[in-house]
Amino acid sequence: MQIGVPKEIKVHEYRVGLVPAAVRELVDAGNSVAVETGAGMGIGATDSDYKLAGASILPRAEDVFAVADMIVKVKEPQPAECAMLRPDQLLFTYLHLAADPVQASGLCDSGVTAIAYETVTADDGSLPLLTPMSQVAGRMSIQAGAACLEKAAGGRGILLGGVPGVSPAKVVIIGGGVAGTAAAEIAIGMQADVTILDVSLARLAELSARFGNQVKTAYSTSGSLHAHTSDADLVIGAVLIPGHTAPKILTREMIKKMKPGSVVVDIAIDQGGCFETSVPTTHAEPTYVIDDVVHYCVANMPGAVPCTSSFALNCATLPFVKQLADLGWRQAIVANPHLKNGLTVHAGSIVHKGVAEDLGMDYQDLERLIPASTISNTDTRHPSAHSAGI
């Protein structure tokens, strides 16, 4: 198969879809890989590195899209990239379509078949291609929040861990999934006062057993959210319902009752955000203030640490890329039903029910679009949504 890796064009996005080592694996397996010049510069990988791995280097994104059977990216395609996709192509990347009707229309118009990293599943119901970036974003959320609490950044002027004789900052993490747990690890390490809220008692028990008296846990209700966030210095939103728009957990009224100069970090912003006041921002302008509360809502947080993020992501995605390249997507989703759970767009239609519902678009059952003899023995189970974490 001819695989294409264009340079990411989202604002301050420095990750790359395939690192040179992954390219070598694919080439050794008999595939061809075309990489846009400069695609790996954000992680320190030169065109020469990719050539040594067996890739061909093409001068423009248009050239990569033109020759590729499968496009492997990191972030969702921007409008200019959607315009370069075509019906006989496979796109494998993060999509987060449920909160992005413009992208959904662009992908449907292109006729491309698109598999989203964030809804590919594993046997235990987890999201293996979302997990590494959730871990990065969770850990980054604390360091970003700590910086935003500094007075020069508009915050209250509080040191997250305090010092002897002065209390540490109060950190409230909404959602105890992968991202929330990663956030808790860093907040604990910085000696903050940490509370985690979740709607799963089982998950709260796991977190309590893991962290002991280093964290407090609370069942998430409207009342407990009010009580904990009104006294918080830093609130982390780490709520996810796979394939759906994130629920608005923190309302405008709750934000208004927070202390002036407090900070909220919305990790769920890729899926529309879990705070009512959340609006996507970029690394170029990461924050804004509403009701005297600093909001950090960067939609590609892991892009700020592209070396860590790209290599972590490739560790997770490479086996799936190899399977898609070896078998083609139709047979790959038969051989691996978890890939089918990631299939989101095909032949101008949304084929993921949750995404279609949130977008208010028509949903097409995949089996109606493709002969049953081609797609069979698939498993449509979806992971549990009870525990947050993206």
Side-chain angles (χ1 to χ4, degrees):
M1 179 179 284
Q2 176 71 62
I3 301 165
V5 183
K7 185 176 181 178
E8 298 292 326
I9 61 174
K10 191 164 186 170
V11 177
H12 285 287
E13 179 54 70
Y14 303 107
R15 288 172 287 181
V16 63
L18 293 175
V19 301
V23 169
R24 169 56 64 191
E25 289 288 315
L26 292 164
V27 171
D28 286 349
N31 302 289
S32 299
V33 181
V35 177
E36 182 182 356
T37 184
M41 292 304 292
I43 65 166
T46 65
D47 289 351
S48 295
D49 294 328
Y50 279 103
K51 286 181 181 178
L52 287 172
S56 59
I57 305 300
L58 299 181
R60 304 178 307 158
E62 292 91 332
D63 302 319
V64 173
F65 279 82
V67 301
D69 302 308
M70 173 168 58
I71 295 290
V72 178
K73 281 176 43 63
V74 179
K75 288 305 292 177
E76 70 278 358
Q78 304 302 294
E81 294 173 311
C82 286
M84 290 186 278
L85 294 166
R86 60 179 191 269
D88 62 339
Q89 232 166 14
L90 175 65
L91 173 66
F92 194 37
T93 189
Y94 288 116
L95 294 178
H96 300 293
L97 272 190
D100 194 346
V102 173
Q103 185 202 166
S105 295
L107 290 177
C108 288
D109 290 344
S110 75
V112 74
T113 297
I115 296 177
Y117 291 162
E118 69 271 14
T119 50
V120 172
T121 55
D123 288 337
D124 62 359
S126 65
L127 306 171
L129 306 190
L130 192 59
T131 293
M133 295 305 94
S134 296
Q135 292 168 333
V136 171
R139 294 178 181 187
M140 285 187 67
S141 70
I142 299 300
Q143 66 185 47
C148 290
L149 278 171
E150 295 175 11
K151 196 67 176 179
R156 298 189 65 221
I158 294 178
L159 181 65
L160 204 66
V163 293
V166 181
S167 298
K170 294 184 177 181
V171 177
V172 173
I173 300 169
I174 306 173
V178 175
T181 301
E185 290 172 342
I186 302 305
I188 291 167
M190 296 179 74
Q191 301 183 23
D193 179 341
V194 183
T195 300
I196 306 174
L197 290 87
D198 200 284
V199 295
S200 167
L201 284 176
R203 183 57 185 161
L204 291 176
E206 292 170 356
L207 291 167
S208 183
R210 175 171 178 172
F211 294 119
N213 61 7
Q214 293 178 303
V215 302
K216 306 177 186 74
T217 59
Y219 187 76
S220 184
T221 65
S222 179
S224 63
L225 283 167
H226 271 287
H228 288 285
T229 59
S230 63
D231 194 36
D233 298 300
L234 171 60
V235 175
I236 307 296
V239 178
L240 172 73
I241 300 177
H244 287 272
T245 302
K248 303 300 181 185
I249 300 297
L250 207 61
T251 66
R252 178 71 181 266
E253 287 304 309
M254 293 178 187
I255 294 286
K256 286 181 179 179
K257 292 180 180 179
M258 292 180 67
K259 293 177 287 191
S262 55
V263 176
V264 295
V265 178
D266 195 340
I267 303 175
I269 194 65
D270 274 333
Q271 290 291 114
C274 60
F275 305 147
E276 190 176 0
T277 48
S278 292
V279 177
T281 61
T282 69
H283 288 294
E285 296 183 43
T287 64
Y288 58 92
V289 178
I290 292 180
D291 296 325
D292 296 323
V293 174
V294 180
H295 289 60
Y296 182 99
C297 301
V298 175
N300 61 326
M301 287 176 64
V305 287
C307 291
T308 298
S309 298
S310 294
F311 284 97
L313 181 60
N314 271 229
C315 289
T317 57
L318 181 58
F320 293 95
V321 175
K322 291 175 70 175
Q323 191 168 40
L324 289 166
D326 290 345
L327 302 177
W329 72 266
R330 292 171 185 254
Q331 294 308 314
I333 66 173
V334 173
N336 184 353
H338 296 299
L339 271 171
K340 184 188 177 185
N341 291 335
L343 192 59
T344 304
V345 180
H346 174 66
S349 298
I350 302 295
V351 294
H352 187 288
K353 192 171 184 179
V355 170
E357 288 175 352
D358 284 358
L359 288 170
M361 296 177 67
D362 290 337
Y363 163 70
Q364 293 292 331
D365 189 281
L366 186 64
E367 279 77 5
R368 294 182 181 179
L369 298 175
I370 302 173
S373 59
T374 304
I375 305 297
S376 60
N377 299 320
T378 53
D379 181 352
T380 58
R381 291 174 296 174
H382 290 279
S384 170
H386 71 260
S387 182
I390 67 169

